[in-house]
Amino acid sequence: MYRTKTCGELRIENVGQTVTLAGWVQGVHNLGALTFVDLRDRYGITQLAFNEDAPEALKEQAGHLGREFVVQATGVVAERYSKNPKLDTGDIEIIVSELNIISESQTPPFTIEDNTDGGDELRMKYRYLDLRRPVVRKNLELRHKMTILIRNFLDSKQFIEVETPILIGSTPEGARDFVVPSRMNPGQFYALPQSPQTLKQLLMVSGFDRYFQIAKCFRDEDLRADRQPEFTQIDCEMSFVDQDDVINIFEDMARHLFKEVRGVELPAKLRQMTWQEAMQKYGSDKPDLRFGMEFVELMDVLKLGTFQVFDNAEYIGGICAEGCANYTRKQLDQLTDFVKSQQVGAKGLVYIKLNEDGTIKSSVDKFYTPEQLQAVAEKMNAKKGDLILILSGDNANKTRIQLCSLRLEMGKRLGLMDKNKFECLWIIDFPLFEWSDEEQRLMSTHHPFTMPNPDDIPLLDTDPAKVRAKAYDFVCNGIEVGGGSLRIHDGKLQAKMFEVLGFTPERAMAQFGFLINAFKYGAPPHAGLAFGLDRFVSIMAGLDSIRDCIAFPKNNSGRDVMLDAPSFIDQKQLDELQINIVKTEK
């Protein structure tokens, strides 16, 4: 046997036992006559001791050890003279009688410790080494625990796990597809699924009633901290349900996960907020409710014909930062630079300070009297010591989004975004359509199979932009963790949706004929939801990026720097696929 115990399980009660351990050398401490080695495996670290009375050959072996050597050690468990309270095994050590060096290691390019000296790109290049670090491994262990909890929960609710294909047809609506050429069908391509959306609808038509899958999905889109070109969804669909049925069951699942994983009790019923309210109060359809600073519209108290910037604005809104009236000119300039950055895009920032001595100081006090500024403060419910920050613009929605960025920046600066605090809610009543400047037409906010609110169906003919969707998003700490909708199951209504989206009947049939035809054979009312597993795990782990809860992630350019992918392929493969590469000037 390579080992009789792991490096994380021995305790003081094991003293006197002869054991064999195997693992990686974390570190070697040579004290002359004594040598101590920290041996690490997935379960922990145990100290190996080579005493001065050990055989010379054994001491020589120990002296040859280096970091990340793989070794096997046999010896007797003894109580440590100098205990280490930081280790679970810190009360004991192994007095080694036999050592076997299984494989040697070069010096690793960074330290295999929680606080490593390796940068992101270096750690991703040597990801197999990075995964040895306990802090990274714990994220994957957490991911494993969550997937087991999810599977068991859904199984207890009569869901059946069904795998759907990875090679499917392209559906250009939405993000860009990754496409795969077919050798056996020259000139034709598969697509990798952005989600199993239409396939899970077909499973409902097939009578499966309750489906789930922990599914790989693929989108060719620009990357950021919470996006990867391939990601994992907890994908679910149910038949004969309404919106409340779906929300209730997956709220229960979230409640179960938070309790089991973090020991956090979510409220018995989560808050629901309409999309309209979320945009008006927070400028975001995924508001972070860990702190206040709700927007207050200030048109009536600032559009007074005295300041042209405000007088010409379509929207003026502000937030109140409690206790920040002592902000210096330098700090206010930094905030101004932030809102004017390319990332935010505002033209400027107006502030009003409510000083502790009762005076009011503002960047626009030459345009407004103290009484007029006091009226703004009263509308903001601001008090002495507070700082009011105001943005304006000629596009209300755009300005609210800019104000959202400022609100989140203040939340970070004031330390209000506690990763151990969880505020979850549902956003409902999304717009069914959104205007695309690129396409110059209405596009589906979610996808073309989303059910319109029955009250708004007449608007499909007269004012489709005002139609609300029977859609819902699960939001936690300002992150969209999951979303779903009721689906259209009536063929005539689905045809109307395609018409509004600019599809000809022929194009709709060419792209979605399999689903349209399936609906002709009796489709049940159905609805679904998909959680982003990567995002869910990252929230539970308190991470800033989803990359650290994915075993082998891509970088921000979509590259796997460990495998050096994507890469060029041989001309022979291109010839088999009948593909020519056209080189363009950069």
Side-chain angles (χ1 to χ4, degrees):
M1 296 177 63
Y2 273 106
R3 61 186 179 187
T4 60
K5 298 288 184 180
T6 70
C7 294
E9 66 177 297
L10 294 171
R11 301 292 186 269
I12 196 72
E13 56 266 26
N14 299 111
V15 167
Q17 296 178 9
T18 299
V19 299
T20 300
L21 305 182
W24 287 261
V25 173
Q26 177 74 25
V28 179
H29 313 282
N30 194 325
L31 305 181
L34 297 174
T35 300
F36 297 102
V37 174
D38 294 328
L39 191 66
R40 182 194 73 242
D41 64 9
R42 171 185 151 191
Y43 306 96
I45 294 176
T46 296
Q47 178 170 282
L48 308 180
F50 297 83
N51 292 338
E52 56 184 341
D53 58 354
E56 287 301 320
L58 184 62
K59 288 193 286 186
E60 186 177 334
Q61 272 187 303
H64 180 66
L65 296 178
R67 281 191 296 151
E68 301 308 310
F69 276 41
V70 179
V71 303
Q72 179 190 46
T74 298
V76 176
V77 181
E79 184 174 1
R80 281 178 67 159
Y81 175 75
S82 178
K83 294 181 172 59
N84 184 349
K86 295 181 180 179
L87 293 178
D88 293 336
T89 61
D91 290 343
I92 59 93
E93 63 187 5
I94 308 300
I95 308 300
V96 179
S97 58
E98 185 178 342
L99 179 67
N100 176 25
I101 298 176
I102 297 173
S103 67
E104 298 185 357
S105 171
Q106 297 180 11
T107 302
F110 52 86
T111 54
I112 313 298
E113 297 173 358
D114 284 354
N115 296 317
T116 183
D117 55 358
D120 284 351
E121 286 292 302
L122 184 64
R123 289 189 297 108
M124 289 180 71
K125 182 176 181 180
Y126 297 94
R127 183 63 168 174
Y128 47 87
L129 296 180
D130 196 35
L131 289 170
R132 293 182 187 177
R133 296 196 301 131
V135 68
V136 180
R137 186 185 65 247
K138 286 174 183 176
N139 295 333
L140 295 185
E141 291 172 345
L142 173 63
R143 185 186 181 106
H144 163 75
K145 180 179 181 179
M146 286 182 65
T147 56
I148 294 295
L149 289 169
I150 289 162
R151 280 193 164 96
N152 289 341
F153 176 87
L154 293 173
D155 178 66
S156 74
K157 301 296 182 183
Q158 288 77 52
F159 283 78
I160 181 170
E161 185 169 12
V162 182
E163 291 183 353
T164 53
I166 293 296
L167 297 176
I168 63 169
S170 179
T171 53
E173 286 286 306
R176 294 183 186 89
D177 286 327
F178 283 103
V179 294
V180 181
S182 170
R183 179 186 59 81
M184 293 182 289
N185 301 276
Q188 295 183 311
F189 294 80
Y190 298 106
L192 303 181
Q194 295 183 29
S195 81
Q197 179 60 51
T198 55
L199 295 162
K200 64 182 179 180
Q201 289 190 257
L202 289 175
L203 287 171
M204 295 303 102
V205 176
S206 302
F208 274 81
D209 190 66
R210 291 190 173 195
Y211 140 94
F212 87 97
Q213 180 183 191
I214 297 180
K216 273 288 187 184
C217 303
F218 308 85
R219 290 179 188 169
D220 186 4
E221 56 188 353
D222 295 335
L223 305 183
R224 56 189 188 213
D226 63 347
R227 280 185 183 169
Q228 284 276 296
E230 55 179 305
F231 56 97
T232 306
Q233 283 186 352
I234 308 159
D235 196 54
C236 307
E237 196 81 4
M238 306 167 68
S239 292
F240 305 110
V241 290
D242 60 19
Q243 179 168 299
D244 287 340
D245 293 323
V246 179
I247 285 177
N248 288 340
I249 198 164
F250 289 104
E251 190 172 299
D252 282 347
M253 189 182 85
R255 194 174 290 109
H256 177 63
L257 289 172
F258 274 102
K259 183 176 181 179
E260 293 295 321
V261 175
R262 292 299 304 261
V264 170
E265 295 274 1
L266 294 185
K269 187 63 184 171
L270 294 183
R271 179 177 177 181
Q272 293 186 17
M273 182 184 297
T274 66
W275 177 86
Q276 191 72 32
E277 181 185 357
M279 293 304 297
Q280 287 180 345
K281 289 183 176 180
Y282 302 100
S284 171
D285 57 8
K286 45 182 185 294
D288 191 335
L289 301 187
R290 285 176 291 180
F291 61 102
M293 289 194 216
E294 289 185 6
F295 299 176
V296 177
E297 189 170 311
L298 301 170
M299 300 282 281
D300 58 336
V301 289
L302 285 174
K303 205 166 185 177
L304 304 177
T306 58
F307 183 43
Q308 188 175 7
V309 172
F310 285 168
D311 294 337
N312 294 336
E314 181 184 310
Y315 175 82
I316 309 169
I319 57 173
C320 181
E322 294 184 8
C324 293
N326 60 354
Y327 261 38
T328 63
R329 166 57 63 184
K330 181 179 179 181
Q331 288 173 301
L332 291 169
D333 286 346
Q334 287 175 342
L335 288 176
T336 301
D337 291 342
F338 171 77
V339 300
K340 292 171 72 174
S341 68
Q342 187 175 2
Q343 173 191 353
V344 180
K347 293 182 179 178
L349 174 68
V350 169
Y351 69 84
I352 301 174
K353 286 184 176 185
L354 278 68
N355 298 318
E356 293 285 359
D357 62 6
T359 60
I360 294 181
K361 174 65 177 173
S362 173
S363 54
V364 291
D365 52 14
K366 66 180 178 180
F367 301 103
Y368 295 94
T369 67
E371 291 76 21
Q372 289 170 330
L373 295 175
Q374 185 62 45
V376 176
E378 289 173 3
K379 185 157 189 182
M380 297 286 305
N381 288 321
K383 59 185 185 301
K384 291 180 181 179
D386 290 349
L387 173 68
I388 298 170
L389 300 170
I390 301 168
L391 294 182
S392 64
D394 55 10
N395 181 297
N397 202 48
K398 181 179 178 181
T399 307
R400 287 191 181 103
I401 292 171
Q402 294 165 346
L403 193 55
C404 172
S405 296
L406 177 60
R407 174 181 179 268
L408 294 176
E409 178 68 15
M410 291 305 297
K412 290 177 186 174
R413 291 184 178 218
L414 297 175
L416 301 176
M417 303 169 83
D418 183 355
K419 291 180 180 178
N420 293 311
K421 181 179 180 181
F422 303 98
E423 291 290 342
C424 304
L425 76 156
W426 293 96
I427 302 297
I428 59 172
D429 289 347
F430 282 85
L432 187 62
F433 304 107
E434 57 188 2
W435 180 258
S436 169
D437 289 329
E438 183 180 345
E439 296 277 340
Q440 285 296 299
R441 66 179 178 93
L442 289 174
M443 304 277 284
S444 298
T445 300
H446 289 88
H447 52 69
F449 314 108
T450 301
M451 175 74 78
N453 188 307
D455 296 338
D456 296 348
I457 287 177
L459 294 172
L460 289 171
D461 289 313
T462 59
D463 197 352
K466 291 184 178 179
V467 178
R468 294 167 296 165
K470 294 295 285 185
Y472 34 84
D473 276 2
F474 181 86
V475 174
C476 180
N477 293 358
I479 298 170
E480 177 199 331
V481 183
S485 67
L486 269 63
R487 322 301 190 191
I488 297 170
H489 62 278
D490 176 76
K492 293 180 180 178
L493 183 56
Q494 186 65 70
K496 185 65 182 177
M497 275 288 290
F498 285 140
E499 179 187 326
V500 174
L501 290 168
F503 282 65
T504 63
E506 293 76 19
R507 183 186 167 200
M509 185 58 71
Q511 270 191 234
F512 303 108
F514 60 94
L515 191 62
I516 295 169
N517 288 331
F519 282 0
K520 296 175 183 177
Y521 294 95
H526 55 287
L529 176 143
F531 281 107
L533 178 62
D534 312 297
R535 291 184 184 180
F536 217 158
V537 175
S538 69
I539 289 171
M540 294 290 196
L543 302 172
D544 293 321
S545 168
I546 65 172
R547 290 197 313 202
D548 280 334
C549 63
I550 297 172
F552 300 104
K554 309 289 189 294
N555 68 9
N556 287 339
S557 300
R559 294 198 64 82
D560 185 326
V561 294
M562 182 183 70
L563 300 177
D564 194 23
S567 59
F568 296 104
I569 63 174
D570 292 339
Q571 187 62 44
K572 180 181 178 182
Q573 290 175 279
L574 292 173
D575 293 342
E576 286 178 339
L577 296 168
Q578 299 187 29
I579 290 176
N580 290 320
I581 302 297
V582 178
K583 294 184 179 181
T584 57
E585 295 291 333
K586 289 187 177 181

